[in-house]
Amino acid sequence: ILVAPPMMFQTRAEPAESCPSTFGNTIIKIQHKQMLQTQCAFPFSCDNNVTSSPDMLLACAGDAVKDTPQFGLPASDFRDQGSATRGYADFLASVTDPVFLFRDGRLYETKEFIDTLTQVAQVLLVFWNPEASIT
């Protein structure tokens, strides 16, 4: 028997200033140029921060995120076998069922919850077996 709603926990990284490989930097520039020519071209438009920063679309992972809120969620500790990992927890249904999620006065696209800056994603399910009395 599932005794709690499924949860998702992820650890994230900050975007790096540049990728460790020339290939990674080249791909980011190509993708940014393609976005500018298609999604930001007339009759569409993009914000200045998107047009001037290639890493707004795609970035290589840098250092781990400290305590910066992500997707309207504060960082929290996940304890697994005695050690703690800092990351972001949410109900799995919050990021899989709706297309958008409104938090803290901001609209988030749930498809962006897992992206290239996600380091580890875990789904947590808590079951109880009444016959064996184990969780």
Side-chain angles (χ1 to χ4, degrees):
I1 299 171
L2 186 63
V3 295
M7 298 292 294
M8 184 173 163
F9 183 81
Q10 73 166 299
T11 59
R12 297 185 56 77
E14 295 285 355
E17 290 291 323
S18 67
C19 296
S21 71
T22 305
F23 180 72
N25 291 319
T26 303
I27 291 297
I28 289 173
K29 288 177 185 173
I30 290 170
Q31 289 294 315
H32 186 250
K33 183 177 177 182
Q34 185 177 10
M35 179 196 66
L36 293 175
Q37 293 172 346
T38 57
Q39 296 183 6
C40 296
F42 182 81
F44 308 107
S45 65
C46 295
D47 291 337
N48 285 341
N49 62 342
V50 173
T51 58
S52 63
S53 300
D55 65 348
M56 291 295 292
L57 172 68
L58 183 64
C60 287
D63 295 333
V65 171
K66 302 301 179 211
D67 284 333
T68 310
Q70 299 286 316
F71 310 104
L73 297 170
S76 59
D77 288 330
F78 175 69
R79 299 199 185 281
D80 184 21
Q81 299 177 2
S83 63
T85 304
R86 197 93 175 131
Y88 302 89
D90 206 345
F91 292 108
L92 183 60
S94 295
V95 297
T96 57
D97 292 344
V99 176
F100 297 103
L101 192 59
F102 189 76
R103 283 194 178 127
D104 296 332
R106 184 168 171 221
L107 194 63
Y108 296 92
E109 287 189 74
T110 54
K111 69 180 182 181
E112 294 175 356
F113 191 77
I114 296 177
D115 60 12
T116 58
L117 298 178
T118 299
Q119 300 298 291
V120 175
Q122 298 173 314
V123 175
L124 310 166
L125 305 167
V126 179
F127 290 96
W128 179 62
N129 181 336
E131 266 183 45
S133 295
I134 58 172
T135 304

